[in-house]
Amino acid sequence: MDELHSARRRRGARERILKAATELFTAQGINATGMEQLSTAAAVSKRTLYAHFSSKDDLVVAYLSTLRGGLLPALPGSDQPSRSPREQLLAVFDWKPPQSVAPVRGCPFLNVSVEVPDPGRPAHQLVAAHKREFARRLSEIARQAGIAAPEVLGEQLALLYDGAAARGTVLNSRHTGACARSIAESLIDAALAGADTTSER
């Protein structure tokens, strides 16, 4: 019973640390957030903080890992039977930064890549892997749509997404996603039209 209680307490401390890291990293960035501030916000001692995360780098990697699934395009599947591949591609641009966060922080993965620029650091490597998987998933959805060059469209849409997120951060604007979506519509429809023309030959 004591072991179970201890395990729950350790898990609770880890969850509080990650919650505090998410809030502080989102609000003020990685480099501006110190471990002392994190331990205070999470209501844990620095000893407990370092027991769960041996370094700030470890904490940044764990923080990004908790975000990955929710920020990747959903692949075609039974859980989205009513959405066409075109709708799935466009849905990527329907993100809206939370109203409670000011200024707009854009994509957390892009933010980390800027604050941790060394490509050899684990956090930067995780960002690169995430961005490659992001484009790969877009390409897979494009392939499901019958587009002739799905990898090309996937890369175009991934670049458009990252550009909109970065511009939203620079301009502190919540509207860049909508602008990017309209451009994505043109790219997707042109690719679909090209696929139709090819199939008719």
Side-chain angles (χ1 to χ4, degrees), residues 153-190:
L153 182 62
E155 285 293 334
Q156 289 174 334
L157 295 179
L159 180 60
L160 183 59
Y161 175 93
D162 286 342
R167 187 168 177 80
T169 301
V170 171
L171 299 180
N172 194 34
S173 171
R174 291 176 167 80
H175 307 297
T176 55
C179 181
R181 192 184 196 279
S182 67
I183 299 170
E185 283 186 294
S186 298
L187 287 171
I188 295 166
D189 289 344

Side-chain angles (χ1 to χ4, degrees), residues 4 60 75 78 81 109 121 153 164 177 180 184 189 197:
L4 179 61
V60 173
L75 290 170
S78 58
F109 289 86
R121 296 266 290 276
L153 182 62
D189 289 344
T197 301

Side-chain angles (χ1 to χ4, degrees), residues 59-75:
L59 179 54
V60 173
V61 168
Y63 150 70
L64 289 177
S65 296
T66 64
L67 302 178
R68 287 195 76 184
L71 294 179
L72 285 170
L75 290 170

